[in-house]
Structure formats: C-alpha cells, structure tokens
C-alpha cells in the first residue's frame, strides 16, 4: 500500500510558532515518525508540503494510479478551496482529511471544511498523532 501525505500552507512553519496550538514538533519530525511507523507496517509513504493551492491540486491529480490512499492536511485551504475538493473527486483515490488541532474547538470559520464531504473520514485534534492515526485508517479505506 502506498500512502500520499499532502500538507498545505504554512505547515512548513510548524515548531517555530504557536506551540500551544500545533505542538513543538516540526513537519520533518512528524514525517520521521510517520515513516518509522509505516516501515513497521510495510507501508510506502510519500510526504510533501506546499504553500501553493495549484501545486496541491497537481499532486492530488497525480495520485490517481500512483497512490492507494491520500492523507490531506490542507491547512487553511480546508476552509476555502473548491479546487482541492474537485481534485479529490476527480482523482478518485480514497482520501482522509487530517488536522493537528481540533478545528471544531477553534474559531467558527475553521468549523467548516469544504473537503470533508468528499473524504472517507476526518481525524483532528491529536497533534502529530493525527498523522499516525491516519496511517492506521489508510489500511481501512484502501481498496
Ligand atoms: O490544525 C491543523 O492541522 C490545521 O490544518 C492547521 C492550519 C489551520 O489553518 C487549520 O484551520 C487547521 C494552519 C497551519 C499553519 O501552521 C502554523 C504553524 C506554526 C506557525 C504558524 C502556522
């Protein structure tokens, strides 16, 4: 099984600011944990981050035929992007939405996700654990 992890805007800043919300780990730290867990499970991982909506759209489109499951922390684009939602539908790869924070316990504008309705499930609020839980969930949604 191959799992593509995509990370959206500003997640490259993890570990540098707002540790009370997002924790102290960097995205590279999280990637290391995901890769270690994946290795133990025999799962292949591709792990990427972009600040650009179009690049994320390109990567989601390319997931068709190259990944079994898409795990997406779309960050702020979660709440705004019809383009990411349409790309997930077009790719027809089972997708899991994840967040470090519990978006429902935060500002009202974070409560709505445009991508959640086209994902198989949503995991949020467990910090870096959301990524590890998504790896477990990937085994439940892959065809
Ligand atoms: O909780 C999550 O994982 C979010 O996707 C993070 C996004 C936020 O817009 C979503 O509502 C929830 C923000 C990522 C920005 O991360 C930063 C980390 C450190 C410093 C500044 C931003």
């Amino acid at each position: 099984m191959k799992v593509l992890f995509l990370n959206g805007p500003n997640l490259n800043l993890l570990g540098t600011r707002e540790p009370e919300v997002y924790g102290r780990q960097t995205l590279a730290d999280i990637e290391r944990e995901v890769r270690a867990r994946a290795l133990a499970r025999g799962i292949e991982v591709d792990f990427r981050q972009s600040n650009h909506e179009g690049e994320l759209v390109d990567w989601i489109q390319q997931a068709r035929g190259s990944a079994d499951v898409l795990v997406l922390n779309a960050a702020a684009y979660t709440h705004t992007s019809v383009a990411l939602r349409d790309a997930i539908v077009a790719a027809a790869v089972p997708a899991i939405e994840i967040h470090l924070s519990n978006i429902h316990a935060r500002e009202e504008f974070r409560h709505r996700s445009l991508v959640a309705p086209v994902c198989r499930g949503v995991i949020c609020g467990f910090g870096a654990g959301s990524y590890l839980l998504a790896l477990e969930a990937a085994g439940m949604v892959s065809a």
Side-chain angles (χ1 to χ4, degrees), residues 8-19 21-23 72-79 98-103 106-107 109-111 124-125 127 130-131:
N10 297 309
L11 286 165
N12 55 311
L13 299 177
L14 274 184
T16 64
R17 286 169 41 213
E18 300 190 68
V21 182
Y22 299 120
L72 178 65
N73 184 350
Y77 290 144
T78 304
H79 317 296
I98 63 167
H99 299 284
L100 294 153
S101 62
N102 179 354
I103 56 175
R106 302 183 62 194
E107 304 96 321
F109 67 85
R110 295 186 203 275
H111 297 181
C124 74
S130 294
Y131 286 72

Side-chain angles (χ1 to χ4, degrees), residues 23-34:
R24 295 193 181 279
Q25 285 178 296
T26 65
L27 195 59
D29 293 334
I30 294 174
E31 177 178 357
R32 211 171 298 118
E33 278 192 26
V34 166

Side-chain angles (χ1 to χ4, degrees), residues 28-81:
D29 293 334
I30 294 174
E31 177 178 357
R32 211 171 298 118
E33 278 192 26
V34 166
R35 287 192 181 283
R37 180 77 63 98
L39 191 66
R41 302 264 189 286
I43 299 170
E44 192 182 337
V45 163
D46 190 350
F47 197 100
R48 305 181 192 184
Q49 187 273 333
S50 178
N51 291 328
H52 304 281
E53 188 175 16
E55 187 163 43
L56 292 163
V57 168
D58 287 343
W59 289 342
I60 293 170
Q61 289 182 7
Q62 290 159 15
R64 187 178 191 135
S66 68
D68 298 300
V69 182
L70 169 67
V71 175
L72 178 65
N73 184 350
Y77 290 144
T78 304
H79 317 296
T80 63
S81 181

